[in-house]
Structures are given as C-alpha cells and as structure tokens.
Amino acid sequence: VLQRLREAEHRIVYEEFTDREGKVVSGSIQFIEPKRIYVRLNRIEAMLPAAEQVPSEHYYRGQRLKFYLVEMIQRDKEPQVIVSRSHPNLIRGLFELEIPEVHNGIVELKALAREAGHRTKVAVATVQENVDPVGSCLGPRGIRLQSIINELNGEKIDVIQWHPDPGVFIANALSPAQVANIKINVEANTATVIVPDKQLSLAIGKEGQNARLAAKLTGWRIDIKSVSAIEAEKAAVQEPELVAPAIPHETKARKLAEAEPAEEIEEEEAVEIPVILEAPSEKLEEKHIRFAEDILVGTPKAKAPDKTKSETKRKRKGKVVKYRKE
C-alpha cells in the first residue's frame, strides 16, 4: 500500500512539473556537493549540476533563488528535475515575471545573448506604436531592470531596441559605443563597423565581450575598425599607384633581347661610347703634339729684329756725342 502511495505521489509531481518545463521556478538550496547542488522545489528535489552553475555566484545552504527548469526525467523511484542558473532563457523568464508588458505580449524579446555572471544583451521590440519597449523594460528610474539585476547577483544587462534593418540593429547592439559607419556584406553575412578612435576600446569591450555579445545577438559576423585604421589602409592602397614598380634585372634583359633591331643598335652605341673616351695615354700625347705642330705651322713666323735700325741708332748717338764734345 505504501509503495502504491509513493508511486501515485511521484506521478502527480511529474505531471505537475512537466507543464512547467522551460519556465522559471523558485526553490531553496538544500545541501551542496562538489559536483552538484540539490534544490528543494515544493514537494520535489531538483538537481543543479556544475555545468549549469554561474562561476561568479556563491551558493550556501538555505539560499532562496529562481531557477530555470531545463528538463524533467522520469525514473523508477522518483522523477528527477534538472534546473539551471546560467541558461539564457532564465533572463527571458525573469523579464516575463517582472515586466507586465512582456508578460502581456505588448513588448517582445526578439533576441538575447548572455555570458552568465558577466553581461547580457536583450533586444526588445513592441507591437504597439505608442509604447517605448526600452523604457517599459527599464521602468521608472530603472526599478524593473534593477530587480532583475539583483536576482542575478549584479550581472549587467543591456536593453536595446530591435530594428528590421541589420545596419541599425548592429549599431544598436554595439551600444554604449557610437558607430561612424557600417558596411554590410549580405552574401558573406559579415559587417564591417567603423568607429571613432576614442570609441574603439568601448566597442570591443573587455576581452572582446561587447563585440562578442553583439555578434551573438544579431547573428552577424562583426569586424570593428577605427577611422585611423581605415585611412591607413586607403593610403597603403594608393601608394603603389604613385610609385612606378621596379623592373627586375631578368625581365629587363628579356625586354632588351626581344626589342626591335633599332633599339639594339642604340643600346650598342651607348655601350661603345665609354670605350672611345677611355683611350690609352700614349694616343692622347700624340694628339697633343700634333695639335701643337698644327698651331706652329698655321701661324706666321716671328720677324727677326732688324740689325740695321739698331746700328744706325748707335751711329747717330755716337755722332751726337762727338758734335757735343767738339
């Protein structure tokens, strides 16, 4: 009779938690083991494996937390429930619990990317035009979002607005960084994002966390570059066009070999010029001697001094002296 009663009780519990699979449940930690933690969920005991735990969280006995019910396994003795604290859908369930617009379907969670214990990005959109999806998720002075952050032990949550245009959506996903320009390649499913130099570290995030979460959220492969890097790439592309490419020695020899006969003659003449200039020293001396002889032959001979004139002068002087003495 007792065995039949336990089986009936397990069957009722299984049927109850089967409907709640994929939802957020509340429970308290019963006891802790190295590889798993046992959690009490009303009338049943659930298991929190090490893979589903958040590394930055510290668990203790009697702690009351919210968990995401991953799956329900039926066994011979009793059903086994596996819960999680690191599953992305835990954020979705907390939004539905804390924000009435999300629960009613006015605000939809279009995409979600999470790194458990560090940061989460949520893209929201609205069905009604007069409703602000981001503002409704934040609440007055951010009270609604702050209650979710407290439940996750201080994990940061970025709420961004979803947009059908992939360029606008990627720019929103990289917030709080500002984007200067975006180039999208639909075929390769990649996007090149250009940001100001001061915003580069903010866009990439700590250890690339912001860019990685934005890629998960949008489903695009994002390549982030600064404005100065893009300008440097353009300058590097333009420089080879301005400078003529150096022709290798082998290709130059081939061109000379394949040139026309007229070009070959010019090359030969250009080679023979220095040979003519570099004549031996003996020939140069001969040329100089001949040049001097030519000059002497070409010029008229200098007239010898006239002896008669000098003699007559002397005779006259002698006569004058004789006349004066006389």
Side-chain angles (χ1 to χ4, degrees):
V1 172
L2 292 172
Q3 185 177 357
R4 292 293 179 87
L5 288 172
R6 290 193 196 95
E7 289 176 0
E9 185 179 359
H10 293 161
R11 187 170 59 254
I12 292 167
V13 170
Y14 178 78
E15 291 174 357
E16 180 184 351
F17 279 91
T18 302
D19 299 335
R20 300 179 67 180
E21 190 173 341
K23 294 183 179 179
V24 176
V25 294
S26 297
S28 59
I29 295 174
Q30 195 170 9
F31 55 93
I32 300 170
E33 290 185 359
K35 293 184 179 180
R36 62 181 68 86
I37 296 173
Y38 291 94
V39 181
R40 192 71 184 176
L41 304 175
N42 295 333
R43 294 179 293 173
I44 196 171
E45 191 175 71
M47 186 177 66
L48 179 66
E52 300 294 340
Q53 298 174 17
V54 179
S56 60
E57 287 183 346
H58 178 67
Y59 304 104
Y60 56 89
R61 189 176 178 181
Q63 185 181 11
R64 192 159 188 85
L65 297 169
K66 287 185 172 62
F67 302 90
Y68 177 74
L69 203 154
V70 179
E71 61 179 344
M72 188 84 173
I73 302 171
Q74 179 64 41
R75 291 190 173 180
D76 298 335
K77 294 181 179 180
E78 59 180 352
Q80 186 177 6
V81 181
I82 297 173
V83 294
S84 174
R85 283 283 296 177
S86 62
H87 203 282
N89 286 336
L90 177 63
I91 306 294
R92 191 181 295 273
L94 292 174
F95 267 76
E96 291 176 357
L97 289 174
E98 298 291 338
I99 301 167
E101 288 84 356
V102 177
H103 181 73
N104 296 332
I106 298 171
V107 176
E108 297 179 357
L109 271 67
K110 289 285 189 179
L112 193 146
R114 185 188 184 194
E115 287 189 1
H118 299 285
R119 198 171 184 178
T120 301
K121 283 183 179 287
V122 182
V124 295
T126 182
V127 179
Q128 299 180 5
E129 295 181 356
N130 57 353
V131 176
D132 181 15
V134 178
S136 60
C137 291
L138 295 175
R141 298 181 182 179
I143 293 173
R144 293 178 177 178
L145 188 64
Q146 190 61 42
S147 62
I148 298 171
I149 292 170
N150 293 337
E151 180 61 36
L152 298 171
N153 294 323
E155 183 177 326
K156 295 180 181 179
I157 299 175
D158 295 340
V159 181
I160 64 170
Q161 188 166 359
W162 181 83
H163 199 276
D165 186 6
V168 179
F169 185 33
I170 290 168
N172 294 339
L174 288 170
S175 63
Q178 297 177 359
V179 177
N181 192 12
I182 296 177
K183 297 178 182 177
I184 294 174
N185 187 353
V186 180
E187 295 178 357
N189 198 30
T190 58
T192 303
V193 181
I194 303 168
V195 298
D197 295 345
K198 294 181 179 179
Q199 299 284 322
L200 182 62
S201 59
L202 187 63
I204 295 171
K206 185 179 179 181
E207 298 178 357
Q209 189 182 66
N210 192 46
R212 189 165 54 251
L213 286 172
K216 288 181 182 178
L217 188 72
T218 58
W220 288 75
R221 186 179 176 184
I222 300 173
D223 185 14
I224 301 172
K225 295 182 180 180
S226 61
V227 176
S228 60
I230 295 295
E231 291 176 356
E233 288 179 2
K234 289 180 180 178
V237 171
Q238 291 175 0
E239 278 180 3
E241 296 177 359
L242 298 173
V243 180
I247 301 170
H249 185 69
E250 295 178 0
T251 56
K252 198 170 183 180
R254 287 177 187 171
K255 285 185 178 179
L256 290 172
E258 294 173 359
E260 295 179 359
E263 293 179 356
E264 289 179 359
I265 291 161
E266 289 176 3
E267 291 290 335
E268 287 175 0
E269 290 175 357
V271 173
E272 287 177 359
I273 286 166
V275 176
I276 295 165
L277 291 174
E278 293 178 359
S281 59
E282 295 178 359
K283 291 183 180 179
L284 290 172
E285 287 177 1
E286 289 177 3
K287 283 187 178 180
H288 284 300
I289 292 162
R290 289 173 184 173
F291 184 72
E293 289 174 356
D294 295 339
I295 292 169
L296 291 172
V297 170
T299 55
K301 291 182 180 180
K303 291 181 181 180
D306 193 2
K307 293 181 181 180
T308 57
K309 287 184 179 180
S310 60
E311 287 176 357
T312 52
K313 283 181 181 179
R314 287 175 185 174
K315 287 178 180 179
R316 286 176 185 176
K317 284 180 181 179
K319 287 180 180 180
V320 171
V321 170
K322 283 180 181 180
Y323 291 140
R324 283 180 183 177
K325 283 180 180 182
E326 288 176 359

